Amino acid sequence: MVFASIFFLLFFLPVFLSIYGYVADRFRNLVLLIASLLFYAYGAPLFIWVLAASTFLNFYFVRRMDAELERSRLWFRVSLVLNVGLLIVFKYANFTVESWNAMGLWTTGSWTKIALPIGISFFTFQSLSYTIDVYRREERPLKSPFHYFIYIFSFPQMIAGPIVRFGIVAKELVSREFNRKGIEEGAQRFIIGLAKKVIVANGIAASFPITGVEEWSIADAWLALLAYTFQIYFDFSGYSDMAIGLGRIMGFHFPENFNRPYSAKSFTDFWRRWHMTLSFWMRDYLYIGLGGNRNGVGRTYANLLTVFVISGFWHGASWNFLFWGLYHGLFLIIERLFLSNLLRKLPAFLAKLWTFFWVLIGWGIFALVDDVERGQLFGALINPVISASQDFSVWNEFTSGGPSAVLMALALLLTIFPAYSWWDRLVHSSGPKWWRYVAYSGLLVVSLAELTGSTFNPFIYFRF
Amino acid sequence: MKNWRKIVLGVLINLPWLLWAFGVPDIAKLKGSRGPKVKIHTVVDQFEQEFWGRSMLIRLRNQFLYSVHNEIRARNVIQGPTGVLFEESYFKSTLGWDALDSATVSEKFDRFKNWQQESGVPLTFVVVPGKTSVVAREHWPEKYAHEKPTVQNANYHAFMKLFSSDTTLRFLDYVRRFNENPEAVYTTYPRNSVHWSEATNMVMTQEIVEGIQGIQVHIMDTTVGEPYGTEEDIEESMNLIFDLEDDPSVHFSRRWDSIAVPPKILIIGDSYAWGLLRAGLLNHTAKGSQFWYYNRTIHGPQVQQQGAHLRKYYAWESEEEFITTMSGFDQIIWVVVESNLKKFPFEIEYFKK
């Protein structure tokens, strides 16, 4: 199930919130857990047992790790093997076998493809966060597997993040406030996220396809790449807003995941603003674990590259994700070598433009799994020759000033002036309180209308 | 939060599924073409297609897209610069883009003639102009306004050459009549409709009936009023919230006369043939009179399973059985709009050779 679906918005969520709101405090976690299991089981009923068993085992291993000080390292490794092993088997086994086959290394074996459980990457990182935080003695382990299940499975963040580190919500897992302030703030945040996803991201995706184009024109290629750049941001940040909002309604305080990433002045800055919960997870658990910048310049660069290659690969089992991670890692190294100093001397808007341009190119690597399609796109981006067989349909539609042009303009506007604070200022700064309710209700109705009227509703981050 | 507020909020957010579950009809139900039908496998699919309020949400989106971007959310519907709505296939027909080759036309005509001869039933054939054949080019959308026809109304001309040489059938050619007399009374195609006006339809009905012994229809008096019948059918398919500007519409009263044992009539045709039913023809003919819509579904005042698949309804095993059924009627009326001539004579897939 995804948040931006009619069934979730008009049945699952209202029923859940009604029950959650009416039961006594002590039953709320139970309601949340049942709803979360149903939410997950709706899309992947078989995987729920695998993930539940793994969650239960991890809880047990971490308890042992905490109780047996002399063997804590052993239990820590067992937990790592369990979590990382699960991710490797489900997410990367198919890719590994296909790559071996392609290289002629395993031509005789037969292989049954393994299906990918939804949200396995987020699931694994949250489990690892619990293990590592307890191992480092930064947090005490939970006493009850029930609360651990809530941490892992709670439906607002399970499918597509944000990656909520254990320490951030450890206390709220056991006790949190469910009150009017939280409901209002959460609902508003949720509606903003829904609108970003449904109106902007889906609208752009429908108008500017980046796959299936037979012969790109240079204009269509650049437009499609720009559109994808906006689409992925509004899609993912919209989903994060919805998750944060839902959490807030229930009394959780999930961490922010985006902070105007396309206004970054460098790649280093970009990764402090884009998918922040992943960046910080990688920094705190992997980069620092590898030694960070404590072992000389060469080792620091190697660590950076390792972290970014793994980060890229985390997004999907395909070479393009790995190259995308490598691309970003290399830019970070170049910035450390000399580029940061240059960028700092530039006027802010030029530094932003420079960074945006190269991030945009990076999305070209990220967007297309198929090598041939990717080659065609990049070929078209640098081919100024125009021929009659080339596709100009997107460019023509865009320049006619139709809905797609308005959406791109809206995306640009919301990227420069971040959606939430912009809307927040407009709605909250002045006027009577009812105006706020009217504004948010209106945005919700428009989002629902868009979702209902258009059957096109892909969610990019579902596969990760 | 106070309890009453909790209750109000709880009811409000659950309203769409509660009303759906209790079977409360949706407001502002959708009409007309809504795109490909979505397959429903589970109760979740059903809910997503039928929840209470869905129609209004779709209308809201359609209205926004139409009002702000002039984008029409109905399949193949296009609007001209003066606001006249069209269905795109009619342009293709008028511009001759859907022309059949002469061998296919002859083959189709021979098949039709064979049915006619084998059944031995008197036949009236009515050919109706599409909206684009009648409405002047200044009202056509930019996309087609400057297109030159390959052969204007190619299928119409090819078929008419064959029909006009056949003296065994009664032939009403409204295409020629409208072209020869563009100022004819009641020839208007309402701006928001794909079909001709209800008044034109009544005139056609009256003329068809003139050739059938045993029934008569008289138009009594006329007034001008709001559109009705199919006079806003394209507009309805756009599923907007607000009404579009309309042309004035001619309303009339009519009187049917029929003898004690009126003829048993079979109408075969496309959507224009529905006009004969709306005018009341089958209510004043013998019991058992029927309408075979595209030779696909069966309709009529006495038909038990309205809209049933024709071949299944009669359990025909062969084309001969189909012809035998036709021969049980006293009069057959074919009504075909020129853009549908490419589908004529609506062959039943089962009988195709």
Side-chain angles (χ1 to χ4, degrees):
Chain A
M1 203 184 307
V2 291
F3 296 158
S5 70
I6 288 296
F7 183 68
F8 177 80
L9 293 166
L10 296 182
F11 182 78
F12 186 91
L13 188 59
V15 171
F16 165 74
L17 287 178
S18 302
I19 300 171
Y20 189 86
Y22 282 93
V23 297
D25 276 350
R26 64 181 182 281
F27 294 120
R28 289 208 169 110
N29 268 343
L30 181 64
V31 173
L32 175 57
L33 183 59
I34 292 170
S36 299
L37 293 173
L38 287 172
F39 180 89
Y40 194 83
Y42 173 80
L46 293 176
F47 291 127
I48 192 88
W49 302 109
V50 179
L51 297 191
S54 141
T55 305
F56 194 81
L57 278 176
N58 199 51
F59 176 79
Y60 173 77
F61 294 155
V62 173
R63 291 284 295 174
R64 303 303 306 162
M65 184 177 76
D66 186 61
E68 300 173 25
L69 279 179
E70 69 285 1
R71 296 169 73 187
S72 68
R73 201 177 183 82
L74 172 71
W75 288 114
F76 173 67
R77 285 177 177 166
V78 170
S79 172
L80 286 190
V81 168
L82 171 74
N83 287 301
V84 178
L86 208 65
L87 185 66
I88 289 173
V89 168
F90 279 112
K91 192 160 179 174
Y92 301 106
N94 294 336
F95 171 76
T96 309
V97 171
E98 280 163 15
S99 300
W100 281 348
N101 278 336
M103 289 186 278
L105 295 175
W106 190 36
T107 51
T108 52
S110 65
W111 176 257
T112 308
K113 277 203 165 188
I114 298 172
L116 179 70
I118 300 160
I120 184 81
S121 310
F122 293 93
F123 168 90
T124 305
F125 273 32
Q126 292 216 164
S127 295
L128 286 173
S129 162
Y130 177 67
T131 302
I132 298 169
D133 282 357
V134 174
Y135 179 70
R136 287 178 177 171
R137 303 275 156 188
E138 287 171 7
E139 296 294 336
R140 297 289 303 143
L142 288 162
K143 288 177 185 157
S144 152
F146 175 65
H147 290 124
Y148 183 56
F149 266 73
I150 299 273
Y151 168 60
I152 296 294
F153 277 98
S154 77
F155 73 86
Q157 43 74 34
M158 201 224 172
I159 303 285
I163 300 166
V164 182
R165 286 160 60 178
F166 176 64
I168 293 173
V169 289
K171 284 182 185 146
E172 288 174 346
L173 288 170
V174 182
S175 170
R176 59 189 176 273
E177 275 188 46
F178 176 70
N179 53 31
R180 181 175 172 171
K181 186 170 181 281
I183 294 169
E184 282 191 8
E185 286 176 5
Q188 290 168 9
R189 186 68 183 266
F190 181 84
I191 291 168
I192 289 281
L194 182 68
K196 280 164 77 174
K197 158 74 183 143
V198 171
I199 300 172
V200 185
N202 285 4
I204 287 178
S207 303
F208 302 93
I210 199 162
T211 55
V213 177
E214 291 196 354
E215 196 178 346
W216 290 100
S217 64
I218 186 168
D220 269 25
W222 277 106
L223 258 180
L225 189 56
L226 188 66
Y228 185 80
T229 302
F230 287 133
Q231 185 211 340
I232 195 165
Y233 168 60
F234 284 99
D235 193 284
F236 194 18
S237 72
Y239 205 91
S240 292
D241 284 337
M242 287 190 269
I244 291 166
L246 281 176
R248 188 74 194 91
I249 290 173
M250 290 172 226
F252 289 105
H253 291 79
F254 293 157
E256 291 297 330
N257 219 12
F258 292 88
N259 178 24
R260 301 171 62 199
Y262 294 149
S263 64
K265 292 175 192 162
S266 65
F267 271 72
T268 313
D269 190 19
F270 177 77
W271 281 103
R272 287 188 196 117
R273 296 163 173 272
W274 177 272
H275 203 172
M276 290 145 70
T277 56
L278 175 69
S279 313
F280 298 155
W281 195 101
M282 286 286 181
R283 182 195 62 195
D284 294 346
Y285 294 130
L286 189 59
Y287 180 69
I288 290 173
L290 289 169
N293 56 4
R294 295 188 302 265
N295 301 313
V297 175
R299 185 65 192 272
T300 302
Y301 294 160
N303 289 344
L304 266 177
L305 219 51
T306 307
V307 166
F308 272 88
V309 166
I310 290 175
S311 170
F313 213 37
W314 175 88
H315 284 81
S318 171
W319 289 107
N320 66 308
F321 295 119
L322 195 142
F323 292 142
W324 177 75
L326 191 65
Y327 174 87
H328 276 263
L330 286 172
F331 261 100
L332 257 83
I333 290 170
I334 295 167
E335 282 182 0
R336 287 195 175 212
L337 281 170
F338 66 91
L339 196 59
S340 284
N341 289 334
L342 284 177
L343 288 173
R344 259 183 240 123
K345 288 172 190 164
L346 285 175
F349 85 93
L350 276 182
K352 287 179 185 178
L353 208 61
W354 162 269
T355 309
F356 181 75
F357 176 79
W358 291 109
V359 167
L360 178 96
I361 298 296
W363 289 130
I365 304 169
F366 186 95
L368 296 166
V369 174
D370 186 273
D371 294 339
V372 177
E373 277 197 317
R374 196 165 55 250
Q376 284 170 343
L377 176 72
F378 277 100
L381 290 174
I382 53 169
N383 176 22
V385 180
I386 290 169
S387 73
S389 59
Q390 288 175 343
D391 195 331
F392 275 91
S393 54
V394 173
W395 175 256
N396 292 338
E397 162 73 16
F398 179 70
T399 49
S400 72
S404 57
V406 173
L407 274 174
M408 285 287 264
L410 186 68
L412 191 66
L413 195 73
L414 293 177
T415 306
I416 297 168
F417 306 102
Y420 189 67
S421 62
W422 169 78
W423 175 265
D424 197 47
R425 242 171 277 152
L426 180 79
V427 175
H428 294 185
S429 60
S430 60
K433 203 174 178 183
W434 61 263
W435 157 237
R436 194 189 314 172
Y437 294 125
V438 170
Y440 278 102
S441 304
L443 195 59
L444 177 64
V445 168
V446 171
S447 303
L448 285 172
E450 188 59 32
L451 195 60
T452 310
S454 154
T455 51
F456 188 83
N457 189 29
F459 176 54
I460 294 177
Y461 264 72
F462 213 38
R463 60 188 159 132
F464 301 133
Chain B
M1 203 181 283
K2 285 178 186 168
N3 266 344
W4 69 267
R5 277 188 181 159
K6 265 189 180 180
I7 292 166
V8 170
L9 189 64
V11 169
L12 267 181
I13 61 174
N14 286 284
L15 216 52
W17 76 265
L18 277 173
L19 292 175
W20 170 76
F22 285 107
V24 177
D26 201 356
I27 41 167
K29 272 199 165 183
L30 299 172
K31 292 177 184 171
S33 170
R34 277 176 282 151
K37 208 167 184 182
V38 177
K39 283 186 182 166
I40 292 176
H41 300 291
T42 63
V43 71
V44 173
D45 298 335
Q46 196 181 351
F47 174 72
E48 295 202 333
Q49 291 302 311
E50 295 172 2
F51 67 89
W52 195 88
R54 179 176 181 269
S55 306
M56 192 44 95
L57 288 173
I58 290 176
R59 283 177 185 276
L60 183 73
R61 182 172 188 266
N62 290 353
Q63 185 71 57
F64 172 81
L65 288 173
Y66 177 70
S67 303
V68 177
H69 296 292
N70 207 23
E71 185 180 315
I72 293 170
R73 297 285 301 169
R75 263 187 305 169
N76 303 328
V77 171
I78 191 165
Q79 191 169 35
T82 54
V84 179
L85 292 167
F86 297 92
E87 209 271 309
E88 288 205 64
S89 66
Y90 289 87
F91 292 104
K92 288 166 190 160
S93 168
T94 301
L95 292 167
W97 293 353
D98 62 351
L100 300 169
D101 60 72
S102 56
T104 308
V105 173
S106 299
E107 192 185 314
K108 282 169 167 279
F109 182 76
D110 290 345
R111 194 166 184 75
F112 163 74
K113 205 170 172 197
N114 180 50
W115 292 352
Q116 155 72 7
Q117 283 170 346
E118 294 286 320
S119 67
V121 180
L123 183 131
T124 301
F125 188 88
V126 184
V127 64
V128 175
K131 188 173 186 176
T132 46
S133 287
V134 178
V135 174
R137 281 213 178 206
E138 69 199 64
H139 300 288
W140 284 26
E142 187 69 19
K143 184 177 173 186
Y144 296 105
H146 309 294
E147 292 285 355
K148 290 198 170 68
T150 43
V151 181
Q152 180 112 14
N153 298 10
N155 289 336
Y156 163 75
H157 290 298
F159 272 104
M160 290 320 108
K161 202 184 276 180
L162 298 171
F163 272 112
S164 54
S165 64
D166 187 331
T167 52
T168 62
L169 53 83
R170 183 171 168 248
F171 184 33
L172 296 175
D173 181 355
Y174 287 95
V175 180
R176 198 180 68 186
R177 194 182 311 175
F178 284 8
N179 284 338
E180 285 172 358
N181 183 15
E183 302 303 318
V185 185
Y186 304 142
T187 58
T188 54
Y189 274 71
R191 60 165 52 220
N192 300 327
S193 140
V194 69
H195 294 101
W196 55 19
S197 67
E198 289 298 322
T200 311
N201 175 61
M202 193 62 222
V203 171
M204 172 187 77
T205 307
Q206 197 178 30
E207 287 177 359
I208 289 171
V209 166
E210 276 170 14
I212 303 172
Q213 285 190 342
I215 46 173
Q216 274 188 314
V217 61
H218 311 277
I219 297 173
M220 308 300 285
D221 61 311
T222 59
T223 52
V224 174
E226 290 294 308
Y228 64 110
T230 59
E231 291 180 342
E232 292 178 300
D233 52 10
I234 303 188
E235 183 186 340
E236 284 176 1
S237 78
M238 288 163 66
N239 290 305
L240 302 172
I241 294 175
F242 303 112
D243 263 347
L244 298 177
E245 185 192 340
D246 294 308
D247 290 326
S249 170
V250 177
H251 293 241
F252 49 83
S253 60
R254 61 185 169 238
R255 195 190 75 234
W256 284 89
D257 297 328
S258 55
I259 56 172
V261 187
K264 186 177 169 186
I265 285 179
L266 171 63
I267 303 168
I268 301 174
D270 52 36
S271 58
Y272 275 82
W274 283 109
L276 296 174
L277 275 76
R278 280 198 309 280
L281 177 61
L282 293 192
N283 295 323
H284 299 87
T285 52
K287 274 190 177 178
S289 291
Q290 292 175 1
F291 168 40
W292 295 354
Y293 183 47
Y294 281 102
N295 263 338
R296 201 183 303 137
T297 54
I298 182 166
H299 309 265
Q302 274 87 38
V303 173
Q304 293 290 321
Q305 301 160 258
Q306 290 290 333
H309 194 284
L310 193 54
R311 188 164 60 78
K312 285 181 188 160
Y313 182 87
Y314 279 113
W316 290 325
E317 291 290 327
S318 66
E319 192 167 347
E320 284 68 38
E321 290 176 346
F322 162 67
I323 295 167
T324 307
T325 309
M326 285 171 97
S327 61
F329 293 88
D330 301 319
Q331 177 78 231
I332 299 176
I333 303 165
W334 280 82
V335 181
V336 182
V337 66
E338 56 179 338
S339 61
N340 268 335
L341 284 169
K342 62 178 181 289
K343 296 178 192 167
F344 177 78
F346 313 129
E347 290 174 83
I348 297 165
E349 198 64 33
Y350 183 79
F351 302 141
K352 270 190 180 172
K353 284 174 184 167

